[in-house]
Amino acid sequence: MYGKQLEMLSVAFAGDSDKGMLYVLNGCKKLRKLEIRDSPFGDMALLRNMGKYEAMRSLWMSSCDVTLRGCKTLANKMPKLNVEIMNENQEKLDDSQKVDKMYVYRTLDGPRRDAPDFVWTL
């Protein structure tokens, strides 16, 4: 409600459900860069307003409740976005497991070809 002109926002330890992320995405009309860490936001919040991400520069989420399945769904439905997963322990994840970190950004060139081993581009 008060963030209509906000372009960049960093959120940590916020909320107790997906509603907080939805309020931010719907209320901050000019949001270009969003960083979220250590919050309960999950797949529902990630996928609810995914059309908003194409207008944004980037979305970073770490230590949240986003699963590999949610990231794959976003990557499949939004081909103009790069969805990168960073998993520090480099283990193969099951679709239902939470990702350590996720970085989403617009692309004209397609997926990265130079990603290190711990970064998976979907």
Side-chain angles (χ1 to χ4, degrees):
M1 179 165 101
Y2 300 106
K4 293 182 189 231
Q5 300 299 317
L6 200 61
E7 293 184 18
M8 185 171 29
L9 180 63
S10 181
V11 177
F13 304 102
D16 55 8
S17 71
D18 286 332
K19 288 181 182 180
M21 186 170 168
L22 297 175
Y23 287 140
V24 167
L25 290 173
N26 289 327
C28 301
K29 304 292 185 195
K30 294 186 177 185
L31 194 62
R32 297 291 173 250
K33 186 175 179 182
L34 178 58
E35 178 182 317
I36 302 171
R37 64 182 180 84
D38 300 301
S39 295
F41 309 137
D43 292 345
M44 193 275 290
L46 175 70
L47 300 173
R48 190 78 173 268
N49 289 333
M50 56 184 143
K52 175 93 173 166
Y53 304 139
E54 284 186 337
M56 292 174 59
R57 187 180 311 142
S58 65
L59 168 66
W60 170 270
M61 294 180 81
S62 64
S63 300
C64 293
D65 290 340
V66 174
T67 66
L68 182 59
R69 179 180 297 113
C71 296
K72 285 180 177 180
T73 301
L74 178 62
N76 288 333
K77 292 188 182 256
M78 305 298 289
K80 293 182 181 177
L81 297 176
N82 273 352
V83 179
E84 295 182 359
I85 306 303
M86 284 139 258
N87 194 22
E88 300 296 327
N89 60 16
Q90 298 183 5
E91 292 178 16
K92 192 81 170 159
L93 289 177
D94 180 277
D95 277 358
S96 63
Q97 287 180 289
K98 295 178 190 174
V99 299
D100 290 340
K101 298 173 184 108
M102 179 195 68
Y103 184 49
V104 178
Y105 56 95
R106 292 177 298 182
T107 180
L108 297 174
D109 194 33
R112 284 177 52 179
R113 292 164 191 72
D114 65 342
D117 291 340
F118 65 91
V119 175
W120 306 331
T121 304
L122 303 177

